[in-house]
């Protein structure tokens, strides 16, 4: 089976899709919506996990989820220009709010 290439990805795609994933969701006006996250570089990404254990280890036991095929998750996020990450291993808490900067008084030159 030849490797497929993504339009914007010069590397070959995985030979086999991940199959059914556990996708974190949040409540929305029409039911639930897939949660989007940020990569370490700040890009938005949809996330799917191959097991409930991996999902709860990363996001906690209270995170709501649905089962969704990897291809369906990719189709859902593609119109938004969002990539998909399967089984992310690294995460960080949200940054703390930054205090507003204090203005520096202007210097007078005589």
């Amino acid at each position: 089976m030849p490797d497929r290439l993504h339009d914007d990805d010069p590397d070959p795609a995985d030979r086999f899709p991940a199959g059914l994933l556990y996708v974190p969701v949040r409540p929305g006006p029409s039911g639930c919506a897939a949660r989007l996250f940020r990569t370490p570089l700040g890009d938005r990404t949809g996330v799917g996990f191959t097991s409930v254990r991996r999902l709860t280890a990363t996001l906690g036991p209270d995170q709501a989820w649905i089962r969704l095929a990897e291809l369906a998750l990719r189709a859902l996020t593609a119109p938004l220009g969002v990539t998909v990450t399967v089984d992310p291993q690294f995460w960080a808490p949200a940054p703390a709010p930054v205090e507003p900067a204090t203005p520096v008084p202007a210097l007078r030159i005589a």
Side-chain angles (χ1 to χ4, degrees):
M1 176 173 169
D3 287 337
R4 295 175 298 144
L5 293 178
H6 293 289
D7 296 337
D8 58 344
D9 185 2
D11 295 331
D14 292 333
R15 289 185 178 268
F16 302 102
L20 281 177
L21 297 173
Y22 297 86
V23 178
V25 294
R26 61 177 174 73
S30 300
C32 61
R35 284 187 62 189
L36 297 180
F37 296 87
R38 297 262 177 199
T39 67
L41 297 176
D43 298 324
R44 293 187 327 166
T45 185
V47 173
F49 294 88
T50 54
S51 71
V52 173
R53 182 185 59 76
R54 290 179 185 218
L55 183 142
T56 57
T58 303
L59 300 175
D62 295 330
Q63 174 61 56
W65 53 267
I66 60 170
R67 294 294 306 263
L68 198 59
E70 177 189 5
L71 295 176
L73 180 58
R74 289 187 188 281
L76 183 70
T77 59
L80 304 172
V82 175
T83 61
V84 170
T85 303
V86 177
D87 288 330
Q89 297 180 5
F90 301 107
W91 62 276
V98 177
E99 295 294 325
T102 305
V104 176
L107 296 176
R108 290 188 178 193
I109 300 177

